[in-house]
Amino acid sequence: ETGVTQTPRHLVMGMTNKKSLKCEQHLGHNAMYWYKQSAKKPLELMFVYNFKEQTENNSVPSRFSPECPNSSHLFLHLHTLQPEDSALYLCASSKTIGDYGYTFGSGTRLTVV
Amino acid sequence: RKEVEQDPGPFNVPEGATVAFNCTYSNSASQSFFWYRQDCRKEPKLLMSVYSSGNEDGRFTAQLNRASQYISLLIRDSKLSDSATYLCVAWHGSSNTGKLIFGQGTTLQVKP
C-alpha cells in the first residue's frame, strides 16, 4: 500500500452509466490531486484541492465531477463518458499545495465501452 | 508545445550498459525538477530530485542545465530491474500553490 488508496482498481462502464472513483489518504496531507494518464500521453493534471477547496480545474469536461468532502477523501464522479475517456486515473496527495513531495495511489484503470 | 518533452523511446539496452535520457522543459519559471519511475500498470514513484550541481544516487546521476532548460538522467551498469518508464517532471508554484508537470516518459527495456 502506498498510503494513498484508490478504489476500484479496475472499472468498465457504459457511456450512459454513472460511477464514482474514490481516493483516500491518512497521511495527514492537505492537498489532493486527480491526474489522467492515457496511453502514449503524459499524466494530465485534472483537479487540485487544498484543504478540501478546489483550487484548479484544468479545463476538464463537466462529465467529470470532483468532490472533496474532507482533506482525506477525494472522489471523481463520472457520467456519460466517452470511449476516449478510457485511461488510468491517478490520485495523489501532498502535505501542502506548495509541497512537491507527492504520494500517488495505484490508480483506477477505467474502460468506457 | 508540451511543457516537458521527452523522447518516448523505447531504449533497448543489454545488461551492464550505460544509458542516458534527456528532457527539456519550456516554462523557465519551473523551480524544481525530478525523475519518477513508473513500472507497467503501476503508479509513478519518485526516483530522484535534480539539481544544477548534479545529483548522484548509486548508479543513477541526474543533471539540470537551467540555461538550456535541459534535464538528464544517466543510468550506469543497467540491471534487468531498471526496465520501466522514466518520467521527467517539473514543478512550479509557490508556498500556497503549485503543481507537478509530467513528461510523456521514456521507456527503458534492459535485456539479458
Side-chain angles (χ1 to χ4, degrees):
Chain A
E1 286 300 327
T2 66
V4 177
T5 303
Q6 288 188 245
T7 54
R9 294 293 297 272
H10 300 273
L11 177 63
V12 179
M13 62 185 287
M15 290 189 283
T16 59
N17 291 160
K18 288 185 180 181
K19 297 286 185 184
S20 295
L21 309 185
K22 180 181 176 182
C23 176
E24 183 174 357
Q25 58 88 10
H26 295 289
L27 300 169
H29 290 175
N30 296 305
M32 296 187 78
Y33 312 82
W34 278 118
Y35 279 86
K36 174 185 177 183
Q37 188 175 31
S38 305
K40 311 290 185 188
K41 289 187 176 180
L43 272 78
E44 300 169 54
L45 181 64
M46 299 174 73
F47 301 103
V48 180
Y49 278 82
N50 189 36
F51 289 95
K52 76 178 184 179
E53 298 297 322
Q54 188 180 118
T55 58
E56 185 153 345
N57 175 337
N58 211 19
S59 303
V60 180
S62 59
R63 58 186 184 270
F64 294 91
S65 175
E67 179 191 359
C68 190
N70 54 60
S71 292
S72 298
H73 294 86
L74 185 63
F75 295 89
L76 188 62
H77 303 300
L78 316 171
H79 65 98
T80 59
L81 295 191
Q82 305 298 312
E84 60 264 29
D85 296 322
S86 299
L88 179 67
Y89 288 84
L90 289 159
C91 173
S93 70
S94 62
K95 284 184 186 175
T96 68
I97 202 167
D99 179 4
Y100 42 70
Y102 287 22
T103 301
F104 279 88
S106 300
T108 295
R109 188 159 297 279
L110 173 68
T111 303
V112 181
V113 297
Chain B
R1 184 183 171 187
K2 294 176 187 173
E3 284 201 59
V4 178
E5 292 216 51
Q6 297 180 250
D7 177 352
F11 284 59
N12 294 302
V13 303
E15 270 188 289
T18 295
V19 61
F21 303 141
N22 303 318
C23 164
T24 57
Y25 62 95
S26 60
N27 189 339
S28 58
S30 298
Q31 293 130 301
S32 301
F33 304 89
F34 311 91
W35 284 100
Y36 273 68
R37 171 188 170 136
Q38 186 173 24
D39 292 297
C40 188
R41 298 189 168 269
K42 296 283 185 72
E43 74 275 17
K45 292 186 178 178
L46 178 65
L47 178 66
M48 60 196 305
S49 302
V50 189
Y51 307 117
S52 298
S53 55
N55 186 25
E56 187 172 317
D57 183 1
R59 297 181 293 107
F60 297 81
T61 301
Q63 190 76 52
L64 165 65
N65 183 323
R66 285 192 184 273
S68 305
Q69 295 185 197
Y70 172 93
I71 300 157
S72 64
L73 176 67
L74 184 75
I75 305 176
R76 290 179 298 278
D77 190 23
S78 300
K79 311 290 184 193
L80 295 176
S81 57
D82 293 334
S83 298
T85 297
Y86 291 83
L87 306 172
C88 179
V89 185
W91 185 86
H92 51 257
S94 63
S95 59
N96 54 15
T97 184
K99 55 188 176 183
L100 288 179
I101 305 297
F102 287 79
Q104 179 182 356
T106 299
T107 299
L108 172 66
Q109 189 68 41
V110 181
K111 306 285 190 184

